[in-house]
Amino acid sequence: MSFLRWALVAVPAIVLLGFLSGTSVANGADSAWYRALQKPALTPPGWLFPVAWTILYILMGLALAVILHARGARGRGGALALFVVQFVLNLIWTPVFFGQHKVSLALWIIVAMLVAATATTIAFGRIRRVAAWLMVPYLVWISFAGVLNWRIDQFNPDAQHLVPGAAKLQISL
């Protein structure tokens, strides 16, 4: 399968799964709990998060397509497994943070995500450098998101009980 075909499958799949995770629970301005949190001054405006994540998911999908296209490349299977691990961690972060209001657990998830994404980037770089470079903005963003998560955890030690009525899935197709 050509790179373009892989990209036509991988990019929409990654974007769709990211969108489903992001909309599975109320978040941002839609979440009374999130609005009630004390947040660090470096918190970006709410509109930036969906824009940034859409761009990052597109770049991740392209990186994945590059590796999927590298048939027969040494280490490809391990690199793909690492990608799946970091992406699953990515998908569960939103329901844990916004749905269950477990800020501390979400911080540990984002730390694990950063470790797995770094390992993925290194593995991708051993196969195709362009795939690794496509992952770099994601590494920067989740590092920043980790700092935000950490500061929110510090500012809100009782965040889970800030607003009653936690995790309700809100997926509607």
Side-chain angles (χ1 to χ4, degrees):
M1 190 180 274
S2 74
F3 166 74
L4 182 58
R5 288 184 192 153
W6 280 118
L8 287 173
V9 172
V11 172
I14 297 298
V15 171
L16 176 64
L17 290 170
F19 171 78
L20 290 174
S21 173
T23 58
S24 65
V25 292
N27 61 68
D30 295 335
S31 169
W33 172 79
Y34 184 72
R35 287 191 312 267
L37 290 173
Q38 182 181 350
K39 292 176 265 324
L42 57 109
T43 303
W47 63 264
L48 183 61
F49 290 98
V51 172
W53 278 112
T54 301
I55 292 167
L56 294 169
Y57 285 140
I58 290 168
L59 294 174
M60 288 170 60
L62 290 171
L64 178 61
V66 166
I67 300 304
L68 289 169
H69 182 62
R71 292 179 57 152
R74 195 165 162 242
R76 180 175 175 252
L80 292 172
L82 285 168
F83 182 88
V84 169
V85 168
Q86 68 81 27
F87 191 60
V88 167
L89 290 167
N90 177 296
L91 295 177
I92 65 174
W93 183 88
T94 298
V96 169
F97 185 88
F98 287 105
Q100 297 175 358
H101 306 164
K102 294 184 177 180
V103 179
S104 296
L105 177 58
L107 178 58
W108 286 108
I109 291 169
I110 211 165
V111 167
M113 183 192 328
L114 183 58
V115 169
T118 300
T120 301
T121 303
I122 292 167
F124 278 15
R126 290 181 178 152
I127 299 166
R128 299 284 187 271
R129 284 186 188 251
V130 68
W133 282 110
L134 288 165
M135 293 289 290
V136 169
Y138 176 61
L139 292 175
V140 171
W141 184 259
I142 60 176
S143 297
F144 175 66
V147 170
L148 288 177
N149 193 151
W150 171 62
R151 294 298 288 159
I152 289 171
D153 194 26
Q154 285 185 323
F155 290 157
N156 303 276
D158 199 29
Q160 190 169 358
H161 306 291
L162 193 57
V163 174
K168 290 182 187 168
L169 287 181
Q170 296 187 359
I171 296 176
S172 60
L173 298 175

